[in-house]
Amino acid sequence: SEQLFMEMADRLAEDSWRELGYQYINIDDCWSAKQRDASGRLVPDPKRFPRGIKALADYVHSRGLKLGIYADLGILTCGGYPGTTLDHVEQDAQTFAQWGVDMLKLDGCYSSEQEQAEGYPKMSEALNATGRPIVYSCSWPAYQGGLPPKVNYTILAEICNLWRNYDDIEDSWDSVLSIVDWFSAHQDVLQPAAGPGHWNDPDMLIIGNFGLSYEQSRSQMALWTVMAAPLLMSTDLRTLSPSAKEILQNRLMIQINQDPLGIQGRRIVKEKFHIEVFLRPLSQAASTLVFLSRRTDMPFRYTTSLAKLHFPGNAVYEVQDVYSGQIISGLKTGDNFTVVINPSGVVMWYLSPLAPPWRLLRQPGPGQGIGPIVL
């Protein structure tokens, strides 16, 4: 109901979320009445949104926040509510703009491949024609398997701001790992598609719910950050535990996630003993490393060096542990180091060069990749 969204807006505004960059309150499926009105317009459920979406948007804006809404390019939404067929695309875009909506997720249930190929670009044009800045989230690639040749990421980046590539996340560690595995397996295709204004979306953060342990929650936050994922929380901010809040509000983590270069990270090492390493280049020749343990037995001592992780040969770094805040100064590329990684946990590092490297750390292009290295 509107009360729920108003209470979430209050929490974002009053509990330090807004200042960290969490600024969108997004309504998902099932918000509308079961029928359009006499003029064909979508209308909100009168019992749950008695004052309408415009009033809710006004309230959200009064808290310094933005409102997102859901629609579906098909005869019905996934939940069985009125969909946005091709003849309603322009009308619905105008309706959302008139209500003061700031973001639209357009799903794809109950639509054909041809309707999606026509409808997703058409909605992009319709949103732009309203004159209102509206972030556009597309589910198009997820319905086409997420990969070329059926998905053209060049076209997608021109019409959408973010897009769902893969399955819906579930409240479980297995689901998180399945998403990480799919993104890593196809990183040569997916990584170049991401950048400022056009992002791969591995789906929501489930931190603060029921399926993840404390270590797994830290891991999802770190992995989504290294993947340059939009940070969209799916949890009740009114009952969020202090430990989950601390993870979601980690300032250095958010700074890394929001790095202006917008380069998506890659899995660069996959050890046979179930340790994986992910690397994301950042602005000002900085970078972030995530050491992930997929073990379930005990903390693991992982020894490596920056040289083995393909860092420039003549560089010295200051390293900050993103979660503990511990700083290591003067780490040379050739120095061996050991990180202790808890089961299903991560160690995440932010590395800043102290001495200029001979060459900047560069990501390989598609087909040139450093694939996973099995040692």
Side-chain angles (χ1 to χ4, degrees):
S1 71
E2 65 180 27
Q3 188 63 35
L4 172 67
F5 292 98
M6 291 168 68
E7 290 178 8
M8 290 298 146
D10 291 342
R11 296 280 57 79
L12 282 184
E14 296 171 20
D15 296 346
S16 303
W17 300 100
R18 181 183 60 197
E19 291 71 26
L20 290 168
Y22 292 99
Q23 56 180 321
Y24 287 87
I25 299 279
N26 288 9
I27 306 171
D28 210 335
D29 197 357
C30 310
W31 58 267
S32 75
K34 284 288 190 176
Q35 302 291 333
R36 291 174 177 265
D37 68 13
S39 63
R41 283 167 56 101
L42 290 170
V43 290
D45 182 296
K47 291 184 178 178
R48 290 181 291 129
F49 297 92
R51 290 178 291 179
I53 302 299
K54 175 69 166 65
L56 178 58
D58 289 345
Y59 182 82
V60 168
H61 295 156
S62 77
R63 306 294 339 232
L65 301 164
K66 298 178 180 180
L67 184 71
I69 206 164
Y70 171 102
D72 183 284
L73 188 69
I75 56 172
L76 297 170
T77 71
C78 299
Y81 290 77
T84 300
T85 49
L86 294 176
D87 57 323
H88 280 295
V89 165
E90 292 169 349
Q91 182 181 36
D92 289 357
Q94 287 290 340
T95 297
F96 297 144
Q98 289 165 6
W99 286 346
V101 165
D102 305 290
M103 180 173 177
L104 171 66
K105 176 184 174 180
L106 189 62
D107 215 332
C109 284
Y110 301 103
S111 60
S112 69
E113 185 174 332
Q114 180 55 42
E115 287 168 332
Q116 292 171 15
E118 183 179 346
Y120 278 101
K122 186 175 182 179
M123 179 58 85
S124 178
E125 293 175 6
L127 291 173
N128 286 335
T130 68
R132 180 175 182 80
I134 298 176
V135 172
Y136 184 29
S137 172
C138 304
S139 294
W140 188 12
Y143 285 90
Q144 303 301 323
L147 298 171
K150 296 194 82 172
V151 177
N152 185 323
Y153 279 100
T154 302
I155 292 175
L156 204 63
E158 292 173 354
I159 66 168
C160 305
N161 298 118
L162 60 154
W163 48 78
R164 286 285 312 284
N165 318 65
Y166 188 59
D167 295 345
D168 289 350
I169 197 168
E170 299 175 2
D171 191 14
S172 75
W173 180 232
D174 284 347
S175 178
V176 170
L177 289 181
S178 73
I179 292 169
V180 172
D181 282 342
W182 188 83
F183 270 75
S184 298
H186 303 294
Q187 62 191 12
D188 281 354
V189 171
L190 301 175
Q191 189 251 0
H198 48 95
W199 308 102
N200 294 304
D201 179 8
D203 210 2
M204 297 174 287
L205 296 166
I206 53 171
I207 299 159
N209 296 332
F210 307 98
L212 301 187
S213 68
Y214 173 71
E215 293 294 338
Q216 292 162 355
S217 296
R218 285 163 49 112
S219 294
Q220 192 198 11
M221 190 72 176
L223 291 164
W224 261 232
T225 290
V226 86
M227 290 193 292
L231 300 182
L232 299 165
M233 299 183 290
S234 177
T235 191
D236 190 338
L237 298 179
R238 300 167 300 183
T239 56
L240 191 67
S241 70
S243 63
K245 183 178 179 182
E246 183 179 25
I247 293 167
L248 290 161
Q249 290 196 349
N250 183 298
R251 289 180 179 272
L252 180 54
M253 183 79 73
I254 293 169
Q255 175 189 326
I256 295 168
N257 175 266
Q258 299 287 304
D259 185 77
L261 279 185
I263 297 174
Q264 182 171 315
R266 301 169 67 97
R267 183 170 65 189
I268 59 168
V269 175
K270 186 178 181 181
E271 305 277 19
K272 61 186 178 184
F273 42 83
H274 307 302
I275 301 297
E276 298 176 6
V277 185
F278 298 77
L279 166 67
R280 181 180 175 187
L282 305 171
S283 54
Q284 299 180 325
S287 55
T288 192
L289 286 168
V290 172
F291 304 90
L292 168 69
S293 173
R294 299 178 72 140
R295 301 177 68 92
T296 57
D297 50 358
M298 62 185 69
F300 189 85
R301 295 177 62 83
Y302 179 60
T303 300
T304 187
S305 69
L306 296 181
K308 292 178 182 176
L309 301 177
H310 319 294
F311 278 68
N314 188 28
V316 182
Y317 291 88
E318 179 175 279
V319 176
Q320 183 170 352
D321 186 302
V322 174
Y323 278 123
S324 74
Q326 179 184 358
I327 291 176
I328 305 168
S329 194
L331 182 68
K332 297 176 182 177
T333 306
D335 294 344
N336 282 340
F337 61 83
T338 300
V339 289
V340 181
I341 319 165
N342 289 337
S344 68
V346 292
V347 171
M348 184 173 183
W349 280 7
Y350 175 72
L351 301 99
S352 304
L354 293 176
W358 287 110
R359 55 187 173 84
L360 291 178
L361 187 64
R362 302 183 73 173
Q363 286 284 351
Q368 311 173 303
I370 302 166
I373 301 166
V374 180
L375 302 175

